[in-house]
Amino acid sequence: SSKSSISEKVHPKDLEQLLSTPSWSVESLLPPKTQAPKAPKISSQQLHHLLRLSALPPPENAEEEKKMLDTLSAQLHLVGEIQQVDTTGVKPLRAIRDETAVAEEEQTITLETLKDALAKETIVGKHYKRIQRNIDKVDATNVESWDVLGSAEKKSGNYFVAESERPLE
């Protein structure tokens, strides 16, 4: 009912104008190109410690170190901006799937759910009993006739071709 009331209040032209310009961007969360006043200060010693913990090589020169410090500072600024988002009343995300009670009930595996699969099993052997599954033939004509390379921009025989630069030796 809320959707219909919104669509009745907003004229299509107004909606188009509203959606034509973004209300925010990731770039708005990043610090300015110059050192941001709120950006955390990271010392050279802290950077070297983090690199050592991450098993990454230290910077080769002062310019590379400054670039790493600026990047890390920008990333920490972004995380700080995201942490300021009001999440009051928002349940934590456990997984990227439907987490409603109906979906959980639908995804729960029970003996009733497995009844058809268990009916296809037969026990073979007297002393060492093994379960064998009776496998029905699957009609795969639609799958086998699918043109896998149909959307490939470049191909060579039965292979996709991905262009990349050759590494310097």
Side-chain angles (χ1 to χ4, degrees):
S1 65
S2 62
K3 286 186 179 181
S4 61
S5 63
I6 291 171
S7 63
E8 291 170 4
K9 293 178 185 177
V10 178
H11 192 272
K13 283 192 175 192
D14 296 335
L15 186 62
E16 187 177 318
Q17 183 181 3
L18 177 70
L19 296 175
S20 66
T21 55
S23 58
W24 70 279
S25 72
V26 172
E27 196 167 321
S28 70
L29 301 175
L30 295 174
K33 298 297 178 195
T34 59
Q35 185 67 20
K38 293 192 300 182
K41 302 286 184 213
I42 296 135
S43 69
S44 176
Q45 184 180 5
Q46 288 172 315
L47 174 67
H48 285 270
H49 180 67
L50 287 172
L51 291 171
R52 200 170 33 260
L53 289 174
S54 305
L56 294 170
E60 293 181 8
N61 53 41
E63 182 182 315
E64 189 177 331
E65 183 175 309
K66 173 147 178 30
K67 188 176 177 183
M68 284 182 170
L69 287 168
D70 291 344
T71 302
L72 187 55
S73 180
Q75 290 169 348
L76 290 174
H77 178 82
L78 174 66
V79 169
E81 290 292 316
I82 291 172
Q83 286 176 338
Q84 292 179 16
V85 173
D86 182 20
T87 58
T88 307
V90 177
K91 291 182 182 177
L93 179 67
R94 293 184 308 176
I96 302 177
R97 65 173 182 262
D98 188 359
E99 294 181 350
T100 61
V102 174
E104 286 214 16
E105 191 175 310
E106 186 179 292
Q107 295 166 4
T108 302
I109 298 172
T110 63
L111 280 174
E112 187 63 31
T113 311
L114 297 173
K115 187 172 67 173
D116 292 337
L118 293 173
K120 294 180 180 179
E121 295 180 346
T122 54
I123 298 175
V124 179
K126 284 185 179 179
H127 303 291
Y128 177 69
K129 296 183 178 183
R130 296 185 319 261
I131 295 174
Q132 290 186 339
R133 289 176 183 82
N134 301 328
I135 300 172
D136 297 333
K137 286 217 168 224
V138 176
D139 180 21
T141 53
N142 292 340
V143 177
E144 291 174 357
S145 63
W146 175 50
D147 182 16
V148 178
L149 298 174
S151 63
E153 288 182 22
K154 290 189 174 187
K155 51 190 169 184
S156 176
N158 291 331
Y159 299 98
F160 286 98
V161 175
E163 292 185 8
S164 65
E165 290 185 23
R166 193 174 207 164
L168 298 174
E169 292 177 7

